[in-house]
Amino acid sequence: MPSEGNSQRYLMYKAIHRNDPNGAWLGFNGVLNNNEWHKVIEYDIIRMLQILNKQYAYERSPEVLNRLKTVIEVTERHGMRLKSIWAHNELIRLHLAEGRRDLAYWIKQNIESNTYGPQVKINVHTYAALFSDPHVNSLPDLIRLTNLYDEMLKRGITPNTPIQKSLIAAARRIGEYHLLAALLESTSLDSVSHSHSTLAARFAGARGQAYIKLRKLSPALAEIHQLLSYQVIKDNRPIPDRRSEDGPQGEIKIPLELSDTRQAYFTYLRSTYESLIRMHLIRRKGRFAFKLLDDLRRNCYLPPTPMVYTCFVRYYAKRKDIQRLRELYEFMQQDGVTPNEHIYTKLITACMFTPGDRLLSVLAKRVAEKHPSLLSANEVDSELDGPPPKGSGLPAIPRAVMATEDINSLSYHPAECVAFYEDMFLDHGAKLGDTRSRKLNPNVQIINAVMRAYMALEKPSLVLREFNRYCANQRYLYSSTNPPDASSNQRHTLSLVFKMALQAAAMLGDRKSSQRIYNDMLEWGLQPPPSR
């Protein structure tokens, strides 16, 4: 029977073998707590430094950095001397992570001067450790790396993939575009074995981000497609399928790396996808960006981040594409991404804001394409409330098109607005009928849009309900002063809310509510309408 110390050391190596840094750290602590240090050799320390340095490269966690320091402190306290080049390479990584660049280069100088013995020679992994500096953020730092690169080539050492990845990332971060283009041309993902999926993901991620920085989107997409051909180690474990409402679906194959190395492969894959999506949205290529989102959800185990959904919602809300917004909302529900206040504000207000001249022209074009008979040669409305500005290039809108009900159905979507509003309450566990609940405080933009929707649906009592909800929340939050909305850039929106409330009270014949609303306007410093 092995002793407890041997058991802990065995568990440490088992965790290292399955790329589990947290498990390896528990095993290392077990060895220390059981006073089994006399069984530890230099190889054990090297493996611990390697797996923790790898974890820090992915997570940049202060806790992991403290673990690395603890390993070195314990080693020094027990008088163990690190002699191999592998140990010194890991020490270089640790010192660079700490920001102690002088110590890292001091180790390099000692290796070159044979201070550690003739058997300790600089190799490609030494340079890879020097290139792993996470604090490269200026041109002098980049020059130092390029000098190291030239020095390595003079020594006859061929740069490996981690070195190329680090240099590409540094050039992209600092904005040296000529160097970046040269590095992309001289490197290729083909140099990475198909069995090294995580290394390929890091390299493809760096190359893809670099192409995006250079505004070359097609090569960036090609990097993603090439990365998808790499093998990902898998294991079988019962894990709930986030895209299923029924919970666990039995044995689901997922990458082993997801368990303990923070989903490295898919993290880099998702990051590259999302950067490419944002660039296509900036270029107003929404259809292609949406296709990329669909590919991301199909090819990546991790769900899209809330940031990329925010970009999509802002893009389609500006264009009043409510059908696409509903699809995005359903995607978020399937992926377990909870919409934040900004996303809900965009979803709800998109349904009810009045389109400007340019968007109105686009909507009118859709109606005209749907009803060609409405177009006539001379039937043009020249007295629109908001005519297209001179020199805008916007076409005049035929009167027959503006008169059809379809233009209103494309401009305003009260039912969808209310549906998004109800979903927001469900997400927060609040009751729509409880106007004094503090679980959710809708902002004035949301309240304005929802009140407009209820007015369009001819439900004045619900208009007053939402007005009372807003006022109750504002009085609770700002009991001693007027709400900030009354004196900020939301003042105009707040005035519209009060006017709609007055109109709804008049429709209901509720004089008491009308008087209270009128008094609240005066109290909050708003200008009431001339007639009550």
Side-chain angles (χ1 to χ4, degrees):
M1 288 292 292
S3 67
E4 183 65 23
N6 284 333
S7 176
Q8 290 296 320
R9 188 164 177 263
Y10 171 75
L11 292 176
M12 181 184 75
Y13 270 100
K14 192 174 181 181
I16 290 174
H17 180 70
R18 67 172 185 266
N19 284 326
D20 180 1
N22 296 323
W25 175 250
L26 291 176
F28 182 78
N29 273 331
V31 172
L32 295 180
N33 295 333
N34 291 330
N35 298 319
E36 296 290 339
W37 181 262
H38 62 279
K39 297 180 180 180
V40 175
I41 60 176
E42 182 184 12
Y43 181 74
D44 301 341
I45 302 302
I46 292 173
R47 293 304 305 272
M48 279 301 302
L49 291 175
Q50 285 176 339
I51 195 167
L52 290 176
N53 272 322
K54 183 178 179 181
Q55 185 185 21
Y56 182 77
Y58 293 146
E59 300 180 11
R60 299 286 187 243
S61 169
E63 180 183 357
V64 177
L65 191 57
N66 288 331
R67 291 177 180 180
L68 282 163
K69 294 178 184 179
T70 301
V71 173
I72 298 302
E73 290 172 0
V74 171
T75 303
E76 293 176 349
R77 188 167 64 245
H78 285 83
M80 177 182 288
R81 183 183 175 188
L82 301 178
K83 302 177 181 179
S84 70
I85 184 61
W86 304 102
H88 292 298
N89 290 345
E90 297 307 318
L91 285 175
I92 288 174
R93 291 181 185 273
L94 170 58
H95 291 318
L96 289 174
E98 293 179 295
R100 304 178 68 182
R101 200 174 282 161
D102 54 335
L103 287 180
Y105 282 86
W106 177 75
I107 293 176
K108 174 179 178 289
Q109 292 173 2
N110 287 341
I111 296 173
E112 292 173 332
S113 61
N114 290 333
T115 302
Y116 304 124
Q119 73 280 5
V120 179
K121 299 290 185 182
I122 285 182
N123 57 24
V124 66
H125 302 289
T126 308
Y127 282 103
L130 290 167
F131 273 86
S132 69
D133 188 352
H135 305 289
V136 175
N137 52 21
S138 65
L139 186 57
D141 294 338
L142 181 60
I143 292 174
R144 186 180 61 258
L145 291 185
T146 56
N147 290 338
L148 279 175
Y149 194 86
D150 294 338
E151 175 188 307
M152 178 177 54
L153 295 178
K154 289 179 182 178
R155 291 176 184 265
I157 299 175
T158 303
N160 59 13
T161 301
I163 292 174
Q164 295 171 341
K165 178 261 176 190
S166 298
L167 195 55
I168 289 173
R172 175 185 63 83
R173 193 159 51 245
I174 294 167
E176 283 294 319
Y177 298 129
H178 293 294
L179 175 61
L180 195 58
L183 288 170
L184 289 172
E185 187 176 353
S186 61
T187 60
S188 171
L189 191 58
D190 295 331
S191 61
V192 184
S193 169
H194 273 67
S195 60
H196 296 157
S197 58
T198 301
L199 178 60
R202 297 185 70 190
F203 192 41
R207 288 175 55 82
Q209 298 288 357
Y211 277 122
I212 293 171
K213 186 79 171 182
L214 296 174
R215 303 296 190 265
K216 296 180 178 180
L217 305 189
S218 295
L221 183 59
E223 292 292 324
I224 292 177
H225 289 163
Q226 188 174 358
L227 177 60
L228 291 174
S229 67
Y230 276 70
Q231 303 170 4
V232 181
I233 302 172
K234 297 183 179 180
D235 72 334
N236 293 326
R237 287 175 294 164
I239 292 181
D241 186 356
R242 66 163 52 87
R243 297 181 185 176
S244 172
E245 297 179 357
D246 301 327
Q249 298 294 315
E251 301 291 327
I252 300 175
K253 284 192 173 183
I254 67 166
L256 180 65
E257 293 158 315
L258 285 176
S259 59
D260 298 298
T261 57
R262 298 297 182 267
Q263 308 131 329
Y265 176 87
F266 287 110
T267 297
Y268 288 106
L269 177 64
R270 177 178 66 180
S271 176
T272 310
Y273 257 123
E274 292 189 348
S275 296
L276 194 58
I277 285 171
R278 286 195 297 270
M279 283 303 302
H280 280 292
L281 289 177
I282 290 172
R283 294 187 174 188
R284 301 179 183 177
K285 296 182 178 180
R287 185 176 301 176
F288 193 79
F290 199 84
K291 181 180 180 302
L292 286 175
L293 176 65
D294 187 58
D295 291 344
L296 168 60
R297 299 178 70 244
R298 184 175 63 253
N299 296 327
C300 187
Y301 174 81
L302 297 175
T305 62
M307 181 174 60
V308 78
Y309 274 120
T310 300
C311 293
F312 269 110
V313 168
R314 293 176 65 182
Y315 180 86
Y316 286 111
K318 184 178 180 181
R319 289 157 177 78
K320 271 191 173 291
D321 194 336
I322 308 304
Q323 179 180 356
R324 192 67 87 182
L325 289 175
R326 174 54 66 177
E327 289 182 46
L328 288 168
Y329 183 77
E330 291 175 357
F331 286 170
M332 295 178 74
Q333 298 299 309
Q334 294 168 11
D335 294 338
V337 179
T338 303
N340 55 28
E341 183 185 25
H342 178 73
I343 290 179
Y344 269 122
T345 301
K346 290 297 181 182
L347 290 172
I348 293 170
T349 57
C351 299
M352 295 306 297
F353 77 83
T354 301
D357 297 323
R358 187 172 297 277
L359 180 56
L360 187 62
S361 297
V362 173
L363 299 178
K365 183 179 179 181
R366 295 179 192 172
V367 174
E369 290 173 350
K370 185 178 178 181
H371 304 285
S373 60
L374 295 176
L375 294 175
S376 60
N378 299 316
E379 194 172 358
V380 175
D381 186 0
S382 59
E383 297 181 356
L384 294 176
D385 291 338
K390 294 181 179 179
S392 66
L394 296 176
I397 301 175
R399 185 180 295 107
V401 172
M402 290 300 298
T404 183
E405 184 63 26
D406 286 353
I407 198 73
N408 279 333
S409 65
L410 290 175
S411 300
Y412 303 105
H413 306 265
E416 288 82 356
C417 177
V418 172
F420 282 132
Y421 190 60
E422 292 173 348
D423 289 339
M424 181 177 68
F425 272 79
L426 289 175
D427 275 351
H428 288 80
K431 295 182 179 180
L432 194 61
D434 185 3
T435 60
R436 297 187 178 276
S437 172
R438 299 292 174 256
K439 291 184 178 180
L440 181 63
N441 299 319
N443 60 47
V444 68
Q445 294 173 292
I446 292 177
I447 292 295
N448 176 51
V450 173
M451 288 176 66
R452 292 187 71 185
Y454 282 132
M455 288 292 286
L457 295 173
E458 299 181 355
K459 296 181 179 180
S461 60
L462 298 183
V463 173
L464 285 181
R465 183 192 69 184
E466 297 310 316
F467 173 77
N468 292 332
R469 184 197 312 279
Y470 174 76
C471 290
N473 287 331
Q474 294 299 305
R475 289 194 180 95
Y476 174 77
L477 294 173
Y478 311 101
S479 56
S480 58
T481 60
N482 287 341
D485 291 339
S487 57
S488 68
N489 57 353
Q490 299 295 338
R491 183 181 177 86
H492 175 68
T493 305
L494 186 59
S495 297
L496 295 177
V497 166
F498 271 90
K499 290 175 182 177
M500 275 190 289
L502 284 172
Q503 184 180 354
M507 292 171 65
L508 294 171
D510 190 344
R511 291 180 174 273
K512 185 177 179 181
S513 293
S514 296
Q515 185 62 46
R516 178 173 51 81
I517 296 168
Y518 188 86
N519 292 338
D520 286 344
M521 291 189 76
L522 293 175
E523 180 184 347
W524 289 10
L526 301 176
Q527 182 64 39
S531 59
R532 285 184 283 169

